[in-house]
Amino acid sequence: MSMNGEYLRVTSGELARALEDPEWALDFASDVQDQEDEETAPAEARHFTTHQTWNLLGFLLQRSAFPVDIVFGEEPVPEADDWGYGPPRYLTADRVRLAAGRLNRMTYDDLVHGVDHNELATAEVYPRIWDSPTSLDWARDLFVPLTEFFRAAASAEDAMVIWLD
């Protein structure tokens, strides 16, 4: 079984409800995931997954001093149960907007600049596939869609619920 990074765009009203009723939030997230497919454009989607690249992206973003924790979220959803690999966390609409602005000003090449694949192995970044310099390209195809997803959420003034499953 693999660990996947998951994102759910939520309106301010949906976030308020999720914080009051985390069971509703889990059902809502499941419903959204069931309704969308991988053909939904990131700018139109309510759900996005970084699949197994979440830890690589987290490592690279942290290394670049990214101001928002877009991999794990920043605030816990109170009293939420485990959604796979721990309870969900969230980003407010303001933090989504800050993250989107920063993502728009960077490229994947910016993120991997100066990184040696051996750093990933030493840091035990999941999954442990860091046997060559080309392994750094693994998340390249997800970075632009993740940026588009955040840009659309920021434009709509949405917050995000984030979890690993």
Side-chain angles (χ1 to χ4, degrees):
M1 181 170 233
S2 62
M3 296 173 72
N4 298 293
E6 306 291 347
Y7 298 80
L8 179 68
R9 285 177 47 185
V10 292
T11 65
S12 60
E14 291 164 346
L15 178 61
R17 185 167 180 191
L19 297 178
E20 290 294 320
D21 186 355
E23 287 183 34
W24 171 85
L26 178 58
D27 290 341
F28 181 67
S30 295
D31 289 346
V32 169
Q33 285 177 292
D34 290 345
Q35 292 169 8
E36 291 184 352
D37 58 34
E38 292 192 21
E39 302 299 317
T40 305
E44 298 169 12
R46 300 272 325 256
H47 169 260
F48 186 80
T49 183
T50 55
H51 302 286
Q52 293 180 35
T53 66
W54 61 272
N55 202 202
L56 171 60
L57 290 169
F59 177 88
L60 295 171
L61 289 164
Q62 184 176 27
R63 188 178 178 280
S64 73
F66 199 79
V68 180
D69 187 348
I70 66 170
V71 173
F72 295 104
E74 296 183 333
E75 302 292 331
V77 174
E79 300 181 30
D81 291 331
D82 185 332
W83 283 22
Y85 291 94
R89 297 176 66 86
Y90 69 95
L91 298 174
T92 64
D94 287 341
R95 300 300 284 169
V96 168
R97 188 171 32 262
L98 176 61
R102 288 293 295 269
L103 287 168
N104 283 329
R105 292 190 303 270
M106 66 179 13
T107 66
Y108 192 74
D109 288 333
D110 295 334
L111 271 183
V112 298
H113 180 77
V115 177
D116 183 287
H117 68 282
N118 292 312
E119 289 178 65
L120 303 171
T122 300
E124 298 183 349
V125 171
Y126 172 87
R128 297 185 185 154
I129 59 166
W130 316 113
D131 56 353
S132 77
T134 60
S135 59
L136 284 167
D137 286 336
W138 190 46
R140 182 178 298 279
D141 291 341
L142 284 169
F143 186 74
V144 169
L146 178 65
T147 300
E148 292 170 359
F149 184 75
F150 266 83
R151 183 182 314 124
S155 178
E157 298 182 5
D158 285 343
M160 279 195 204
V161 176
I162 301 170
W163 71 100
L164 296 176
D165 77 354

